[in-house]
Amino acid sequence: MSKYDKLAAIAEECGFTHSSPLKVSTLEFMQDVRDMCNADQCENFNKSWSCPPACASLEDMQKRVESFEGGILVQTVGELEDSYDWEGIMEAGMRQKEAFAKLWGELKKEYGEILAMGTGVCRICESCTYPDEPCRFPDRMEVSMEACGLFVSKVCTDNGLAYNYGQDKIAFTACFLV
């Protein structure tokens, strides 16, 4: 069984609906993506240790990534009643967060040092200690692919994974480097 096949089997057991091998060479940390964070479109800029400006710089992320040989891109795809199905979006998002935490734990046991980049702002704590106190769980903090400067649809395309699954579907994407 190849390393990716093993990763894919674990990802499926954890609840992800799709996965693809992730080539480190496809990861491009882009200032334009980080600038979207700085524009505070998701309303988390400067409010969390997992978001800019508190999270690692693009240069630091590039350096960290270079020590890994590859990984897995994972997704949770949810079915929506229509494009206004907020409950369906939230349910798929919760499944993504749960599967992400589960897979992170499994991969840590199996591989030790990993780099996880998730979906959206970290939600481990009910309220973030930023900026008044250090992060309570720095080894479990979920930093989003976007906060790291990755253009998620491009990462998907560059690694052979769909990003858009059609009308009335939503996809949440994350990745793990091992």
Side-chain angles (χ1 to χ4, degrees):
M1 178 182 284
S2 74
K3 185 182 237 180
Y4 168 71
D5 289 336
K6 186 175 185 179
L7 291 170
I10 297 169
E12 187 176 340
E13 287 173 21
C14 290
F16 289 103
T17 55
H18 297 80
S19 69
S20 177
L22 176 62
K23 295 179 256 111
V24 173
S25 63
T26 65
L27 300 179
E28 182 182 354
F29 299 92
M30 305 165 82
Q31 187 59 50
D32 289 349
V33 175
R34 183 59 70 88
D35 289 345
M36 285 188 261
C37 287
N38 297 354
D40 200 22
Q41 294 177 353
C42 72
E43 300 178 356
N44 289 302
F45 178 77
N46 204 24
K47 294 181 182 126
S48 169
W49 287 110
S50 69
C51 294
C55 64
S57 70
L58 300 180
E59 295 79 19
D60 289 343
M61 285 305 301
Q62 182 66 49
K63 286 177 191 165
R64 281 193 73 196
V65 161
E66 290 169 359
S67 66
F68 293 93
E69 55 186 66
I72 188 168
L73 201 54
V74 291
Q75 289 179 329
T76 300
V77 176
E79 300 278 340
L80 306 176
E81 290 180 20
D82 55 42
S83 58
Y84 300 104
D85 182 5
W86 185 246
E87 288 177 13
I89 294 169
M90 295 304 291
E91 189 271 332
M94 286 305 301
R95 285 190 297 125
Q96 173 78 2
K97 291 282 188 189
E98 290 167 6
F100 183 85
K102 198 177 205 182
L103 182 57
W104 195 347
E106 291 299 316
L107 294 181
K108 275 186 177 179
K109 285 189 272 184
E110 183 75 25
Y111 296 97
E113 180 67 22
I114 61 168
L115 177 58
M117 292 178 265
T119 308
V121 68
C122 182
R123 300 254 186 245
I124 293 171
C125 302
E126 194 168 313
S127 65
C128 187
T129 59
Y130 182 81
D132 302 319
E133 296 175 31
C135 176
R136 294 179 193 104
F137 304 103
D139 60 328
R140 292 179 35 216
M141 179 178 21
E142 183 178 337
V143 179
S144 74
M145 291 176 70
E146 292 91 344
C148 292
L150 297 174
F151 191 35
V152 178
S153 63
K154 183 178 183 329
V155 174
C156 289
T157 301
D158 290 349
N159 288 279
L161 187 64
Y163 178 75
N164 186 336
Y165 289 86
Q167 188 173 346
D168 299 334
K169 294 187 190 302
I170 188 160
F172 291 96
T173 306
C175 66
F176 294 87
L177 298 176
V178 296

